[in-house]
């Protein structure tokens, strides 16, 4: 169960980071590291059609929105933990309420992930699904190593170039 939650959070974080990368804009336009630049790189790598791109962007938006609800709960979580610890006796009821909120938000994120992944799976052809799965599993730079553009070599640790 913990692995599923961790995997869900990682995938949501991936989509969030792909969509959010706005801090490296140059020359006033969407740069390579903007979320549009990153998605453009993904679209080029997968050789997607405009219709497929719309499905991928919609899935990223939905996952980002669901993950944002979890991020928004962080302040309330810290406050509740502090409240439980602050009193003369430990207040477990506060943390049970917190668990209920988190369970509902995580379940919503899971449903969104399943729906978005199903939409993406349906929109892509087998080769594109394989490329996307490899990119998610091994990281974005892994595919570039095959084409001589750098990246890590098959399991090398900390960027060692042992190919």
């Amino acid at each position: 169960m913990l692995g599923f939650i961790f995997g869900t959070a990682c995938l949501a974080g991936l989509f969030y980071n792909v969509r959010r990368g706005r801090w490296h804009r140059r020359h006033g336009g969407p740069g390579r590291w903007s979320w549009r630049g990153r998605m453009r790189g993904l679209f080029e790598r997968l050789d997607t059609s405009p219709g497929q791109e719309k499905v991928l962007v919609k899935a990223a938006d939905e996952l980002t929105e669901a993950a944002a609800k979890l991020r928004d709960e962080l302040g309330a979580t810290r406050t509740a933990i502090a409240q439980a610890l602050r009193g003369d006796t430990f207040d477990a009821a506060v943390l049970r309420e917190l668990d209920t909120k988190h369970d509902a938000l995580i379940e919503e994120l899971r449903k969104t992930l399943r729906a978005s992944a199903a939409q993406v799976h349906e929109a892509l052809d087998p080769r594109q699904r394989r490329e996307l799965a490899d990119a998610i599993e091994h990281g974005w730079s892994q595919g570039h190593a095959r084409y001589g553009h750098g990246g890590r070599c098959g399991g090398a640790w900390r960027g060692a170039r042992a190919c």
Side-chain angles (χ1 to χ4, degrees), residues 133-156:
D134 288 346
I136 290 171
E137 183 178 12
H138 300 293
W140 300 110
S141 65
Q142 193 70 20
H144 294 292
R146 282 185 281 191
Y147 305 113
H149 299 297
R152 283 183 235 149
C153 302

mmCIF file of all heavy atoms in Angstrom, residues 133-156:
data_model
loop_
_atom_site.group_PDB
_atom_site.id
_atom_site.type_symbol
_atom_site.label_atom_id
_atom_site.label_comp_id
_atom_site.label_asym_id
_atom_site.label_seq_id
_atom_site.Cartn_x
_atom_site.Cartn_y
_atom_site.Cartn_z
ATOM 1 N N ALA A 133 6.502 4.908 -21.088
ATOM 2 C CA ALA A 133 6.743 4.037 -19.935
ATOM 3 C C ALA A 133 8.237 3.982 -19.605
ATOM 4 O O ALA A 133 8.620 4.049 -18.437
ATOM 5 C CB ALA A 133 6.200 2.640 -20.207
ATOM 6 N N ASP A 134 9.086 3.882 -20.624
ATOM 7 C CA ASP A 134 10.530 3.873 -20.397
ATOM 8 C C ASP A 134 10.997 5.200 -19.795
ATOM 9 O O ASP A 134 11.843 5.222 -18.902
ATOM 10 C CB ASP A 134 11.289 3.610 -21.700
ATOM 11 C CG ASP A 134 11.173 2.171 -22.174
ATOM 12 O OD1 ASP A 134 10.740 1.313 -21.371
ATOM 13 O OD2 ASP A 134 11.499 1.914 -23.351
ATOM 14 N N ALA A 135 10.453 6.300 -20.299
ATOM 15 C CA ALA A 135 10.833 7.618 -19.782
ATOM 16 C C ALA A 135 10.422 7.771 -18.324
ATOM 17 O O ALA A 135 11.173 8.315 -17.513
ATOM 18 C CB ALA A 135 10.198 8.717 -20.630
ATOM 19 N N ILE A 136 9.247 7.286 -17.974
ATOM 20 C CA ILE A 136 8.784 7.376 -16.589
ATOM 21 C C ILE A 136 9.615 6.459 -15.696
ATOM 22 O O ILE A 136 10.032 6.849 -14.608
ATOM 23 C CB ILE A 136 7.288 7.036 -16.492
ATOM 24 C CG1 ILE A 136 6.462 8.154 -17.134
ATOM 25 C CG2 ILE A 136 6.863 6.832 -15.043
ATOM 26 C CD1 ILE A 136 4.994 7.829 -17.290
ATOM 27 N N GLU A 137 9.896 5.255 -16.173
ATOM 28 C CA GLU A 137 10.618 4.280 -15.355
ATOM 29 C C GLU A 137 12.086 4.636 -15.156
ATOM 30 O O GLU A 137 12.618 4.533 -14.061
ATOM 31 C CB GLU A 137 10.510 2.895 -15.990
ATOM 32 C CG GLU A 137 11.164 1.805 -15.175
ATOM 33 C CD GLU A 137 10.988 0.432 -15.800
ATOM 34 O OE1 GLU A 137 10.554 0.341 -16.972
ATOM 35 O OE2 GLU A 137 11.294 -0.551 -15.111
ATOM 36 N N HIS A 138 12.754 5.087 -16.219
ATOM 37 C CA HIS A 138 14.200 5.284 -16.171
ATOM 38 C C HIS A 138 14.626 6.741 -16.115
ATOM 39 O O HIS A 138 15.799 7.019 -15.964
ATOM 40 C CB HIS A 138 14.862 4.631 -17.393
ATOM 41 C CG HIS A 138 14.608 3.162 -17.480
ATOM 42 N ND1 HIS A 138 15.119 2.264 -16.575
ATOM 43 C CD2 HIS A 138 13.873 2.440 -18.353
ATOM 44 C CE1 HIS A 138 14.721 1.056 -16.887
ATOM 45 N NE2 HIS A 138 13.969 1.131 -17.962
ATOM 46 N N GLY A 139 13.713 7.669 -16.281
ATOM 47 C CA GLY A 139 14.064 9.085 -16.283
ATOM 48 C C GLY A 139 14.124 9.606 -17.704
ATOM 49 O O GLY A 139 14.312 8.865 -18.660
ATOM 50 N N TRP A 140 13.974 10.900 -17.831
ATOM 51 C CA TRP A 140 13.887 11.520 -19.153
ATOM 52 C C TRP A 140 15.194 11.462 -19.904
ATOM 53 O O TRP A 140 15.224 11.326 -21.118
ATOM 54 C CB TRP A 140 13.426 12.965 -19.024
ATOM 55 C CG TRP A 140 12.101 13.068 -18.385
ATOM 56 C CD1 TRP A 140 11.836 13.561 -17.142
ATOM 57 C CD2 TRP A 140 10.846 12.621 -18.897
ATOM 58 N NE1 TRP A 140 10.504 13.461 -16.865
ATOM 59 C CE2 TRP A 140 9.868 12.894 -17.923
ATOM 60 C CE3 TRP A 140 10.458 12.023 -20.079
ATOM 61 C CZ2 TRP A 140 8.532 12.592 -18.095
ATOM 62 C CZ3 TRP A 140 9.117 11.725 -20.254
ATOM 63 C CH2 TRP A 140 8.181 12.008 -19.278
ATOM 64 N N SER A 141 16.330 11.588 -19.231
ATOM 65 C CA SER A 141 17.610 11.631 -19.943
ATOM 66 C C SER A 141 18.044 10.258 -20.437
ATOM 67 O O SER A 141 18.911 10.164 -21.281
ATOM 68 C CB SER A 141 18.696 12.217 -19.040
ATOM 69 O OG SER A 141 18.925 11.367 -17.937
ATOM 70 N N GLN A 142 17.461 9.200 -19.933
ATOM 71 C CA GLN A 142 17.864 7.851 -20.303
ATOM 72 C C GLN A 142 17.708 7.602 -21.802
ATOM 73 O O GLN A 142 18.565 7.007 -22.417
ATOM 74 C CB GLN A 142 17.042 6.821 -19.525
ATOM 75 C CG GLN A 142 17.588 5.422 -19.594
ATOM 76 C CD GLN A 142 18.881 5.273 -18.834
ATOM 77 O OE1 GLN A 142 19.205 6.058 -17.978
ATOM 78 N NE2 GLN A 142 19.626 4.250 -19.172
ATOM 79 N N GLY A 143 16.626 8.063 -22.386
ATOM 80 C CA GLY A 143 16.393 7.828 -23.809
ATOM 81 C C GLY A 143 17.383 8.559 -24.685
ATOM 82 O O GLY A 143 17.703 8.119 -25.772
ATOM 83 N N HIS A 144 17.894 9.706 -24.195
ATOM 84 C CA HIS A 144 18.838 10.470 -24.992
ATOM 85 C C HIS A 144 20.195 9.788 -25.070
ATOM 86 O O HIS A 144 20.945 10.020 -25.992
ATOM 87 C CB HIS A 144 18.989 11.881 -24.427
ATOM 88 C CG HIS A 144 17.732 12.678 -24.546
ATOM 89 N ND1 HIS A 144 17.238 13.080 -25.752
ATOM 90 C CD2 HIS A 144 16.852 13.103 -23.607
ATOM 91 C CE1 HIS A 144 16.113 13.746 -25.565
ATOM 92 N NE2 HIS A 144 15.855 13.771 -24.263
ATOM 93 N N ALA A 145 20.531 8.949 -24.099
ATOM 94 C CA ALA A 145 21.821 8.255 -24.122
ATOM 95 C C ALA A 145 21.904 7.328 -25.331
ATOM 96 O O ALA A 145 22.961 7.123 -25.892
ATOM 97 C CB ALA A 145 22.022 7.464 -22.831
ATOM 98 N N ARG A 146 20.746 6.783 -25.738
ATOM 99 C CA ARG A 146 20.742 5.890 -26.896
ATOM 100 C C ARG A 146 21.125 6.622 -28.165
ATOM 101 O O ARG A 146 21.662 6.045 -29.084
ATOM 102 C CB ARG A 146 19.355 5.286 -27.082
ATOM 103 C CG ARG A 146 19.064 4.164 -26.143
ATOM 104 C CD ARG A 146 17.752 3.584 -26.502
ATOM 105 N NE ARG A 146 16.738 4.475 -25.959
ATOM 106 C CZ ARG A 146 15.461 4.212 -25.892
ATOM 107 N NH1 ARG A 146 15.011 3.081 -26.375
ATOM 108 N NH2 ARG A 146 14.610 5.051 -25.379
ATOM 109 N N TYR A 147 20.826 7.912 -28.214
ATOM 110 C CA TYR A 147 21.046 8.672 -29.433
ATOM 111 C C TYR A 147 22.304 9.542 -29.345
ATOM 112 O O TYR A 147 22.504 10.421 -30.162
ATOM 113 C CB TYR A 147 19.832 9.548 -29.722
ATOM 114 C CG TYR A 147 18.563 8.743 -29.787
ATOM 115 C CD1 TYR A 147 17.569 8.898 -28.828
ATOM 116 C CD2 TYR A 147 18.368 7.798 -30.782
ATOM 117 C CE1 TYR A 147 16.408 8.150 -28.884
ATOM 118 C CE2 TYR A 147 17.218 7.040 -30.837
ATOM 119 C CZ TYR A 147 16.247 7.220 -29.885
ATOM 120 O OH TYR A 147 15.107 6.474 -29.938
ATOM 121 N N GLY A 148 23.130 9.316 -28.319
ATOM 122 C CA GLY A 148 24.375 10.060 -28.222
ATOM 123 C C GLY A 148 24.224 11.467 -27.691
ATOM 124 O O GLY A 148 25.074 12.305 -27.932
ATOM 125 N N HIS A 149 23.144 11.764 -26.970
ATOM 126 C CA HIS A 149 22.930 13.107 -26.448
ATOM 127 C C HIS A 149 23.241 13.205 -24.963
ATOM 128 O O HIS A 149 22.756 14.079 -24.283
ATOM 129 C CB HIS A 149 21.478 13.538 -26.661
ATOM 130 C CG HIS A 149 21.099 13.588 -28.094
ATOM 131 N ND1 HIS A 149 21.691 14.450 -28.986
ATOM 132 C CD2 HIS A 149 20.209 12.864 -28.807
ATOM 133 C CE1 HIS A 149 21.152 14.264 -30.180
ATOM 134 N NE2 HIS A 149 20.257 13.310 -30.103
ATOM 135 N N GLY A 150 24.001 12.301 -24.418
ATOM 136 C CA GLY A 150 24.324 12.362 -22.991
ATOM 137 C C GLY A 150 23.379 11.500 -22.198
ATOM 138 O O GLY A 150 22.820 10.538 -22.686
ATOM 139 N N GLY A 151 23.176 11.854 -20.946
ATOM 140 C CA GLY A 151 22.314 11.070 -20.088
ATOM 141 C C GLY A 151 23.118 10.007 -19.361
ATOM 142 O O GLY A 151 24.320 9.875 -19.547
ATOM 143 N N ARG A 152 22.451 9.267 -18.511
ATOM 144 C CA ARG A 152 23.131 8.237 -17.730
ATOM 145 C C ARG A 152 23.200 6.935 -18.503
ATOM 146 O O ARG A 152 22.314 6.623 -19.274
ATOM 147 C CB ARG A 152 22.383 8.010 -16.422
ATOM 148 C CG ARG A 152 22.672 9.099 -15.459
ATOM 149 C CD ARG A 152 21.977 8.799 -14.178
ATOM 150 N NE ARG A 152 21.194 9.986 -13.949
ATOM 151 C CZ ARG A 152 20.057 10.031 -13.340
ATOM 152 N NH1 ARG A 152 19.527 8.954 -12.857
ATOM 153 N NH2 ARG A 152 19.418 11.138 -13.186
ATOM 154 N N CYS A 153 24.188 6.191 -18.239
ATOM 155 C CA CYS A 153 24.339 4.886 -18.875
ATOM 156 C C CYS A 153 23.635 3.855 -18.033
ATOM 157 O O CYS A 153 23.604 3.965 -16.821
ATOM 158 C CB CYS A 153 25.819 4.543 -19.003
ATOM 159 S SG CYS A 153 26.725 5.762 -19.948
ATOM 160 N N GLY A 154 23.112 2.806 -18.666
ATOM 161 C CA GLY A 154 22.294 1.784 -18.046
ATOM 162 C C GLY A 154 22.383 1.514 -16.600
ATOM 163 O O GLY A 154 22.491 1.750 -16.053
ATOM 164 N N GLY A 155 22.304 1.929 -15.550
ATOM 165 C CA GLY A 155 22.362 1.751 -14.139
ATOM 166 C C GLY A 155 23.545 2.419 -13.507
ATOM 167 O O GLY A 155 23.840 2.158 -12.379
ATOM 168 N N ALA A 156 24.312 3.204 -14.268
ATOM 169 C CA ALA A 156 25.473 3.878 -13.665
ATOM 170 C C ALA A 156 24.990 4.848 -12.590
ATOM 171 O O ALA A 156 23.982 5.501 -12.755
ATOM 172 C CB ALA A 156 26.252 4.613 -14.737
#
